Amino acid sequence: MTNNQILEKIKGGLIVSCQALPEEPLHSSYIMSRMAYAAYLGGAAGIRANTAEDITEIKKTVDLPIIGIIKQVYDDSDVYITPTINEVAKLYECGVDIIAVDATDRLRTGGVSFEKFFTEVRKEFPNQLFMADTSCFDEGKKARELGIDIVGTTMSGYTPYTKGMELPDFSLMERYVKELDCPVIAEGGIWTPEQLKKALDIGVHAAVVGTAITRPMEITKRFANAIK
């Protein structure tokens, strides 16, 4: 698919995040591939997945656009979503459709800014679709100016300067849609179909839902806490 075809396929749709970290009970590339297949059967327009291994398995199972990330923790930075060009290269090599990167103002490992990181990334991978995982408007604006293709609200509430933000961050979605000339993806804190519809009614290009659909341990906790 061309980049325009990828964007068209997810337009107005639900992207389901199928991820499980090593310490979680569903951690398995095979299980994530079946989770993605279930999401496909349920009407998902796309998948968001973590690690090249999971993405490779998912690609065998569903023919949907995939937003890929690699969560990698470095001791000297709080940035862990596709934090260096090494993770970008791994995602590129597995043929993922869209690569999402942390685009917050926090420094990456080695004290590298997002601007320096993405300038190098765009030069190395000029034709790849990239999504900026941001927490506030200035980050999205800067990412777009640097040549990012898609801006997402993924990190709202997860940086020190947005901590406590009510999620989903509909106000950030609205501002992005009104002021940026690129597709906007709503992500973060969407728990109900009503919230999903509201996000799409605002005019975002697509929306990602993860925990509410694909993390049964967290879903169970939510119900269990309600009756304690």
Side-chain angles (χ1 to χ4, degrees), residues 84-109:
T84 77
I85 199 166
N86 293 329
E87 287 82 39
V88 173
K90 289 177 183 177
L91 290 167
Y92 181 82
E93 287 166 10
C94 78
V96 74
D97 302 284
I98 300 166
I99 296 175
V101 299
D102 182 306
T104 64
D105 281 338
R106 301 173 299 176
L107 293 177
R108 313 172 105 74
T109 182

Side-chain angles (χ1 to χ4, degrees), residues 38-100:
Y40 160 74
L41 293 178
I47 301 295
R48 179 165 165 130
N50 174 36
T51 77
E53 293 78 11
D54 284 11
I55 291 164
T56 299
E57 285 302 307
I58 290 169
K59 281 165 64 73
K60 295 176 184 176
T61 309
V62 299
D63 184 23
L64 293 175
I66 299 174
I67 300 173
I69 64 171
I70 292 178
K71 291 181 176 177
Q72 181 64 55
V73 175
Y74 290 91
D75 292 339
D76 60 344
S77 174
D78 291 330
V79 174
Y80 62 89
I81 295 177
T82 322
T84 77
I85 199 166
N86 293 329
E87 287 82 39
V88 173
K90 289 177 183 177
L91 290 167
Y92 181 82
E93 287 166 10
C94 78
V96 74
D97 302 284
I98 300 166
I99 296 175

Side-chain angles (χ1 to χ4, degrees), residues 5 14 17 25 54 56-57 106 134 136 176 185 192 197:
Q5 288 172 330
L14 165 65
S17 182
D54 284 11
T56 299
E57 285 302 307
R106 301 173 299 176
T134 72
C136 64
Y176 277 159
I185 290 184
T192 68
K197 186 176 185 304

Side-chain angles (χ1 to χ4, degrees), residues 49 65 106 117 132 150 167-168 180 196 207 213 217:
R106 301 173 299 176
F117 159 77
I150 303 162
L167 301 179
L180 297 186
L196 171 64
I213 296 175
M217 183 175 71

Side-chain angles (χ1 to χ4, degrees), residues 133-190:
D133 286 351
T134 72
S135 70
C136 64
F137 181 79
D138 287 346
E139 291 170 350
K141 183 173 182 289
K142 180 190 291 185
R144 181 58 180 152
E145 289 169 351
L146 290 170
I148 209 86
D149 304 286
I150 303 162
V151 171
T153 59
T154 317
M155 297 303 294
S156 178
Y158 296 97
T159 55
Y161 41 93
T162 62
K163 192 174 181 180
M165 182 70 66
E166 183 178 350
L167 301 179
D169 192 343
F170 293 117
S171 61
L172 184 57
M173 296 176 205
E174 287 175 350
R175 193 170 180 196
Y176 277 159
V177 168
K178 288 177 182 177
E179 299 188 38
L180 297 186
D181 63 338
C182 66
V184 175
I185 290 184
E187 182 171 7
I190 298 176

